[in-house]
Amino acid sequence: MKNSELNSEILALARRIRAGETTARVVVEKSLAAAEKHEELHFLLEIFPDEALKKADEVDAKIARGEKVGKLAGVPYVAKDNFLTTVGRTTAAAKFLENFHAPLDATAIERIENEDAILIGKANLDAFAHGGSTENSAFGPTKNAIDASRVAGGSSGGSAVAVAAGVVPFALGTDTGGSIRQPASFNGVVGYKPTYGMISRYGVVAMASSTDVIGPIARTPADAALIAQILAGPDQKDATVHDNYFAPDFLAQDDNFAAIFSEKSRTIPAKSAQTSGENLENCEKYSIPTPRKIGLISEFISDGVDEDVKNQTLKLAEKLREAGHIVENVSLKMAKYALPIYYIVVPAELSSNLARFDGVRYGVRATAENLGELYGLSRNQGFVDENKRRILIGAFVLSSGYFDAYYLQAEKARTLLIREFDDLFVEYDFLIGPTAPMTAFKIGEKTADPLTMYLADIMTVSASLTGLPAVSLPNGFSRENLPIGIQVMAPQKKDATLLAFSQEILAISGEKSFNLEEKNTGTGGKK
Amino acid sequence: MSEKNLDDSTAKKSVAVDLAAMRHLAELSNIQMSDTELENMKDDVASILQYIEQLGELDTRGVEPTFQVSGRKNVWREDKVEKQITREKLLELADETTENQVKVPKVL
């Protein structure tokens, strides 16, 4: 659908800038001020006030001259620090790349910059994206936007907090096993993991090549859709991106999309549309969503899942039913195997992708007597413990004598997982469940045992292993006032439908993304 | 798909994670770790390996492995030179260079 019709907060901001209601400079100054105010959350590894303001002034000058500017002109954003940028450093939150100045911009960055958005800083992450809390950053953890004694989630913790703290309306993240969705869930914002193969990964530090995706963290599904649309589409430099499906406009794939996201429409729950008690003034058209058949994954609301998380999920299921949708419990029998599959396949792949970090051509180089030592010591000094653990596991599952029983077995089990999802999607339009089994835990709580940290991924890894699109949406708060996320999954390539339905879910639940800036001025925050 | 006891072809080998095993893995990974570091990491690695071993329960006979989920293969492009990063810029990234080359210590 045409961008001008998309009911997106980001587009609204860009429109105000172009119309002269505000300026890019004012917007960027506000963003930088908010970043400074919330500095103690440590969500940025680097901030670029000079470059950002310079670009803002350029945008304002172009607008003043009546020249065409990009769709995102003047809109500030942050990128996870595993996106290579020619501005500043790209560290992947690891000592290895502490002083690395990238010689290129990731394709994703180029596409966003082409629309004149303004990068204000690089966001913190678990080192090399290995982690689920951002505690594995070599430069200190990021704190949760709602409760600074708790983790931001990970690995895109910095990106999620930047949005939740009201500093920027969107941030770029990556998701290998849940790294966009889980921190979005922990901070009460929207995190979208697109279908594998939608967005080019050129210029993003690789973790696991068969699951890594790039995606936006934002305040609304419309905003997430907008950013993804700009990022999507073929890139000569990334052969894993689909040629045709996602460009030029993947949002046009779903007829409902326009209706649900249009500024002039309102979503009315199917049942109440019949009673017509609704005030339809100022609505040129309204959408009565098609009743959907939704599977609520029973393994994700079983024992071991936090009570409040479970209850919020069940409450939402009920609201969806009241709105006219069918919500049934379904079993994902392979659910318990998804995590072991993940922790075999991903370490194997990352052990290969991280082989390039040897201290020779870039990155920090250890002092060494000979070449072997150079490799060995640079790698020992440049990686954090979690990186080494995963590399060792990866080496193990690929090693002679163990390859068949571990790696090959995992990839066969992956086929079984894919088949089970395929079967479920014959019957159901969407599959839902909580994004994580818990809310944000305390900093330091899970660092003693890596395995307990891995268990936080249990609900998100399936979509990664199967390449499915998935969104995490804010779904209320726990009794301790911590955000809870609902995860929605759809078949591969059904991203437009998924995003449209996400918008509908929020209309039905009445939930909104957390915004620390609004909370501080008393106009938003916890419902 | 069902959970079954396995015949020999897919029998899981229960792994003993001792210092020797850790040293071997570190060597395969080209990470020079001290024995103390390896000792400290040993139990975590063992518990992770124990956790992933449960995949051995699955009967995967006759199931083809999935290595990638997009179905794309043999992706071609024109052999055309496009915007290049210069050699100078790349050499700047290396710690030590000489005569347009990256310098490293001797091999042995």
Side-chain angles (χ1 to χ4, degrees), chain A residues 101 239 241 334 337 339 360-361 365 370-371 376 379-380 388-389 396 401 406 409 411 415 465 492, chain B residues 1 3 13 15 29-30 32 37 44 51 53 55 57-58 60 64 66 69 72 93-94 103 106:
Chain A
H101 293 267
V241 177
M334 285 293 289
Y337 295 110
L339 202 60
V360 174
R361 291 151 299 149
R365 186 192 272 202
N370 56 54
L371 189 59
R379 287 165 68 75
N380 195 31
K388 295 178 210 175
R389 248 188 309 266
F396 172 77
Y406 288 84
Q409 175 74 348
E411 298 284 49
T415 304
L465 291 168
Q492 273 203 29
Chain B
M1 155 237 99
E3 300 173 20
K13 304 181 189 198
V15 187
S29 308
N30 232 325
Q32 195 165 322
E37 278 190 87
D44 286 337
Y51 176 73
E53 267 170 21
L55 268 200
E57 291 166 12
L58 284 174
T60 56
E64 283 302 300
T66 298
V69 294
R72 280 173 74 68
L93 300 174
K103 193 163 179 226
K106 60 191 191 303

Side-chain angles (χ1 to χ4, degrees), chain A residues 100-314:
Chain A
F100 178 67
H101 293 267
L104 58 96
D105 284 310
T107 296
I109 298 288
E110 274 185 4
R111 290 183 180 179
I112 296 289
E113 297 283 312
N114 277 343
E115 298 296 347
D116 293 324
I118 298 176
L119 183 70
I120 66 148
K122 303 298 282 299
N124 198 14
L125 61 153
D126 288 289
F128 285 107
H130 299 183
S133 66
T134 310
E135 291 172 291
N136 289 328
S137 168
F139 309 117
T142 296
K143 300 170 187 175
N144 190 289
I146 288 78
D147 178 343
S149 71
R150 294 174 182 269
V151 299
S155 58
S156 310
S159 297
V161 170
V163 174
V167 174
V168 288
F170 77 95
L172 296 181
T174 61
D175 189 309
T176 303
S179 291
I180 283 173
R181 294 162 283 159
Q182 187 252 55
S185 167
F186 280 10
N187 286 280
V189 292
V190 175
Y192 165 42
K193 174 211 156 319
T195 295
Y196 178 87
M198 176 200 274
I199 298 176
S200 168
R201 296 173 297 181
Y202 179 77
V204 178
V205 179
M207 181 174 164
S209 301
S210 79
T211 72
D212 282 355
V213 297
I214 288 172
I217 294 177
R219 291 203 259 272
T220 68
D223 287 338
L226 170 73
I227 300 303
Q229 185 192 43
I230 290 167
L231 294 172
D235 179 14
Q236 283 227 326
K237 294 177 240 165
D238 182 350
T240 64
V241 177
H242 287 291
D243 281 328
N244 300 311
Y245 192 81
F246 291 109
D249 181 8
F250 79 89
L251 300 178
Q253 305 291 351
D254 186 291
D255 298 329
N256 272 334
F257 197 91
I260 285 176
F261 275 113
S262 168
E263 278 196 306
K264 300 201 175 87
S265 82
R266 255 181 47 206
T267 299
I268 298 172
K271 279 189 181 160
S272 69
Q274 271 123 49
T275 62
S276 261
E278 294 280 339
N279 182 357
L280 298 176
E281 254 175 58
N282 303 321
C283 285
E284 286 193 13
K285 56 179 182 248
Y286 59 88
S287 66
I288 303 171
T290 324
R292 301 287 192 176
K293 201 164 174 210
I294 303 156
L296 171 55
I297 299 175
S298 49
E299 284 81 4
F300 292 170
I301 45 167
S302 62
D303 304 325
V305 177
D306 180 274
E307 204 61 42
D308 292 347
V309 170
K310 229 186 292 185
N311 288 335
Q312 280 301 110
T313 308
L314 293 172

Side-chain angles (χ1 to χ4, degrees), chain A residues 425-438:
Chain A
F425 280 125
V426 167
E427 268 238 63
Y428 297 94
D429 297 306
F430 305 102
L431 295 172
I432 63 171
T435 306
M438 76 284 277

Side-chain angles (χ1 to χ4, degrees), chain B residues 22-85:
Chain B
M22 290 293 284
R23 279 192 190 137
H24 175 60
L25 293 179
E27 197 188 323
L28 286 177
S29 308
N30 232 325
I31 307 176
Q32 195 165 322
M33 293 169 75
S34 67
D35 281 352
T36 316
E37 278 190 87
L38 292 171
E39 279 287 353
N40 288 339
M41 206 171 268
K42 196 180 63 170
D43 291 340
D44 286 337
V45 170
S47 80
I48 295 165
L49 289 182
Q50 192 174 35
Y51 176 73
I52 61 185
E53 267 170 21
Q54 63 177 294
L55 268 200
E57 291 166 12
L58 284 174
D59 181 4
T60 56
R61 287 173 298 187
V63 180
E64 283 302 300
T66 298
F67 297 111
Q68 59 101 315
V69 294
S70 70
R72 280 173 74 68
K73 48 187 189 184
N74 298 337
V75 179
W76 300 95
R77 65 173 177 85
E78 283 296 306
D79 187 14
K80 210 173 40 141
V81 172
E82 296 194 347
K83 181 180 87 169
Q84 290 255 65
I85 303 170

